[in-house]
Amino acid sequence: MTYITFTLNQNRKIYFSVQTSSPDYNTIIAIIQTNIEIMEHFFSSCVSPQLEIVEDCNLKTPSFNIIDGIPKIYLCASEGNYWSQYVFQFSHELCHYFIDYTNNQSSMSKRNRDSWFEEVVCEVSSRFFLIKMSESDNLPVINYYLPSFKEYSIDRETDYTPFKIKLLSQEHSEVLKRFREEIINHSYANSETRSLYNHVANLLYPIFDNNTRLWSEVNLISKFSDSNSFINNLKEWKSNCKIYENKQSIDGIISLFS
């Protein structure tokens, strides 16, 4: 592994650990830097200069964790200049960062039972910020490639398994029990469950797209409690929001499930 340090605005440094045999890292760093700056804008929060990004093609899945208080994002994009996959993975994991690290800075292994909803929101994040990246003026070096970000996002909409999501408002439904058991046991990263998550993400995406300020209060879902029902956790999220439009958007989310 080789560590590459690159500077964001305000002279903040981000550490990027890479495999020396991989391709065009100057472009990948430019993409990640732009990705960070766009997401900071929508989340109304800044990334810590402690953030470490590790690229390892040998990993099965990307991930985010907090180790000894240090936030780390692990990427495993396909070998080559597969830039859409970098954005997709990074937007998902940085969403976890804004939700979890900015609140408690504790290990991601300690997750509440409704953290499956966070996984769905992070899927929405991947799609949403692929679109925003496709519209960016800060990547002239790959201007010809930018439409591919949007195409990748749209392709995700077709990879889903439909089910009655109102079942998720029923505390004893099999699908809710499955989601909770898998998130607690860290076994949710399977294609079948991801396909179910994608169905929920398809329904949530328009709500985030219509009110982009909702990203600024997504971090509040880290306060979900195991003592609440899923619907009551959503209601608590709404109650904790300070922006009126966000409360309205969460009403729309609640109505999808109940």
Side-chain angles (χ1 to χ4, degrees):
M1 289 289 182
T2 299
Y3 273 93
I4 299 175
T5 303
F6 62 95
T7 304
L8 291 172
N9 55 355
Q10 302 172 354
N11 296 317
R12 289 178 293 134
K13 292 182 178 180
I14 304 296
Y15 293 92
F16 186 23
S17 176
V18 302
Q19 295 171 332
T20 56
S21 61
S22 292
D24 190 359
Y25 278 115
N26 287 330
T27 299
I28 293 170
I29 288 173
I31 288 170
I32 289 176
Q33 180 171 343
T34 301
N35 208 158
I36 290 173
E37 290 171 350
I38 290 174
M39 291 184 70
E40 284 182 329
H41 169 73
F42 281 93
F43 281 86
S44 297
S45 183
C46 290
V47 168
S48 164
Q50 291 183 300
L51 177 64
E52 293 184 10
I53 305 164
V54 179
E55 193 255 10
D56 186 349
C57 296
N58 295 317
L59 297 174
K60 291 183 178 180
T61 59
S63 63
F64 168 70
N65 211 336
I66 304 164
I67 301 173
D68 296 328
I70 305 298
K72 297 190 178 188
I73 288 176
Y74 297 87
L75 305 177
C76 54
S78 302
E79 290 190 38
N81 296 318
Y82 201 177
W83 297 320
S84 292
Q85 201 172 75
Y86 274 98
V87 173
F88 178 80
Q89 292 184 5
F90 188 71
S91 297
H92 181 110
E93 303 308 331
L94 195 62
C95 184
H96 280 306
Y97 167 90
F98 282 121
I99 292 170
D100 295 289
Y101 182 74
T102 54
N103 281 292
N104 49 47
Q105 300 185 21
S106 61
S107 171
M108 283 284 286
S109 62
K110 301 174 182 177
R111 306 186 73 181
N112 63 67
R113 65 180 185 172
D114 283 331
S115 291
W116 62 266
F117 182 74
E118 178 179 331
E119 291 296 329
V120 173
V121 170
C122 289
E123 167 69 23
V124 176
S125 174
S126 289
R127 302 183 194 183
F128 181 87
F129 290 105
L130 274 163
I131 298 293
K132 294 305 174 186
M133 288 287 285
S134 76
E135 301 167 350
S136 175
D137 295 325
N138 294 331
L139 293 167
V141 66
I142 58 166
N143 188 60
Y144 68 93
Y145 184 89
L146 295 183
S148 296
F149 290 146
K150 184 174 183 179
E151 291 168 7
Y152 196 104
S153 177
I154 293 172
D155 283 346
R156 290 293 297 178
E157 297 175 12
T158 64
D159 182 19
Y160 72 98
T161 300
F163 69 99
K164 295 180 180 179
I165 72 164
K166 292 188 184 297
L167 291 172
L168 294 170
S169 67
Q170 300 174 18
E171 286 295 293
H172 299 293
S173 70
E174 290 302 317
V175 65
L176 182 60
K177 287 194 289 185
R178 170 185 175 166
F179 283 1
R180 285 173 167 173
E181 288 172 2
E182 288 186 340
I183 207 73
I184 290 171
N185 296 326
H186 302 282
S187 59
Y188 59 90
N190 61 79
S191 59
E192 185 178 346
T193 296
R194 287 295 182 184
S195 185
L196 295 171
Y197 284 175
N198 286 349
H199 176 54
V200 184
N202 284 348
L203 299 173
L204 289 184
Y205 186 95
I207 294 175
F208 280 87
D209 195 36
N210 290 332
N211 175 25
T212 60
R213 297 184 74 188
L214 186 56
W215 291 113
S216 69
E217 294 189 297
V218 155
N219 64 307
L220 296 173
I221 67 177
S222 67
K223 300 181 182 296
F224 280 8
S225 170
D226 287 350
S227 63
N228 287 339
S229 68
F230 170 55
I231 293 300
N232 281 341
N233 274 325
L234 293 178
K235 291 179 178 178
E236 286 284 330
W237 178 24
K238 173 188 171 183
S239 177
N240 289 328
C241 282
K242 296 180 180 179
I243 300 172
Y244 176 70
E245 291 85 349
N246 291 348
K247 293 178 182 289
Q248 290 181 306
S249 294
I250 297 170
D251 273 335
I253 291 173
I254 292 170
S255 71
L256 289 175
F257 296 103
S258 63

